[in-house]
Amino acid sequence: GQNIDQPTEMTATEGAIVQINCTYQTSGFNGLFWYQQHAGEAPTFLSYNVLDGLEEKGRFSSFLSRSKGYSYLLLKELQMKDSASYLCAVNTGGFKTIFGAGTRLFVKA
Amino acid sequence: EAEVAQSPRYKITEKSQAVAFWCDPISGHATLYWYRQILGQGPELLVQFQDESVVDDSQLPKDRFSAERLKGVDSTLKIQPAELGDSAMYLCASSLQGKTQYFGPGTRLLVL
């Protein structure tokens, strides 16, 4: 079967660093995405990893280990506006992408 | 910047009524997706189009849901009759090569 696991909720302090983990078991793999979704809004694209390693984009970085079926999203210098859900999604081949349930991040002052 | 358009943004209806949602993808995006998202969960794919053809509708409740993309551009998702359990956010997304998906603002449906 297809499975994507991520923690349900996390809390972090403004200015800190937080790491959101994602593990996946899928029938195929053709890339992993991270999306940010504020409450009541649509998901917005953050990052895409298809090869092992770290991709850095400003305050956000995403890591992938294909052999471990593992990824994380790293958020640095947390701001209040980073409070949102973060969705891990896997392209399983062709045009098929499955989404995890999301991790709700609360940033406190 | 090009965006995916959806309408309406909000819809309140009574059960057993018919509802329809519209989506206009980013120009040139051949792949179009309709998702349903229940609060606290990730998006669940309902139907996926490649141009005007359905490539995946395995999770679409075909007894009450239908979707079309007649000219391979904009798309309509219909529910008839609506049930209480259909209350959710309906998201449309499009992609260029079936990879990165760009989402519209969604339609929030409430069935009373």
Side-chain angles (χ1 to χ4, degrees):
Chain A
Q2 319 269 47
N3 198 48
I4 297 179
D5 287 318
Q6 30 179 157
T8 304
E9 287 185 1
M10 298 182 71
T11 300
T13 304
E14 194 175 17
I17 299 173
V18 70
Q19 177 175 313
I20 303 174
N21 296 323
C22 170
T23 58
Y24 62 90
Q25 290 179 304
T26 56
S27 57
F29 181 84
N30 199 23
L32 186 143
F33 301 86
W34 284 96
Y35 287 85
Q36 180 190 60
Q37 186 175 26
H38 285 99
E41 298 182 10
T44 55
F45 170 76
L46 287 177
S47 67
Y48 171 65
N49 293 68
V50 67
L51 300 176
D52 290 352
L54 187 68
E55 294 279 346
E56 298 186 76
K57 191 185 295 184
R59 293 189 299 114
F60 293 8
S61 303
S62 56
F63 172 84
L64 175 68
S65 169
R66 290 172 296 170
S67 62
K68 295 182 179 178
Y70 168 69
S71 173
Y72 67 73
L73 180 69
L74 193 71
L75 292 74
K76 303 176 186 175
E77 301 170 13
L78 277 174
Q79 302 175 9
M80 299 298 288
K81 67 178 182 180
D82 297 329
S83 293
S85 288
Y86 291 86
L87 301 168
C88 175
V90 173
N91 182 296
T92 60
F95 300 109
K96 182 81 171 179
T97 299
I98 58 173
F99 284 80
T103 298
R104 194 177 307 177
L105 175 66
F106 298 96
V107 180
K108 59 182 183 179
Chain B
E1 183 176 306
E3 295 180 342
V4 176
Q6 286 188 251
S7 67
R9 294 291 306 277
Y10 304 92
K11 180 70 178 178
I12 301 175
T13 190
E14 295 184 343
K15 62 181 181 179
S16 79
Q17 296 299 303
V19 292
F21 312 134
W22 176 80
C23 173
D24 191 14
I26 293 172
S27 178
H29 281 195
T31 313
L32 184 148
Y33 312 79
W34 281 104
Y35 289 92
R36 176 170 58 189
Q37 187 176 26
I38 295 168
L39 196 63
Q41 299 182 18
E44 172 197 12
L45 181 69
L46 291 174
V47 61
Q48 180 177 332
F49 291 91
Q50 183 65 21
D51 298 310
E52 66 276 9
S53 301
V54 173
V55 296
D56 187 349
D57 64 356
S58 56
Q59 300 302 311
L60 188 72
K62 299 181 187 61
D63 56 334
R64 298 185 300 109
F65 286 64
S66 64
E68 60 183 17
R69 193 184 184 198
L70 293 176
K71 296 182 180 179
V73 181
D74 59 335
S75 175
T76 302
L77 177 70
K78 296 179 182 177
I79 308 175
Q80 183 173 15
E83 296 181 352
L84 296 178
D86 296 332
S87 294
M89 173 82 92
Y90 290 83
L91 294 164
C92 178
S94 69
S95 68
L96 187 58
Q97 299 283 351
K99 293 288 181 65
T100 302
Q101 297 182 30
Y102 296 92
F103 286 83
T107 296
R108 188 178 294 278
L109 173 67
L110 178 61
V111 182
L112 303 175

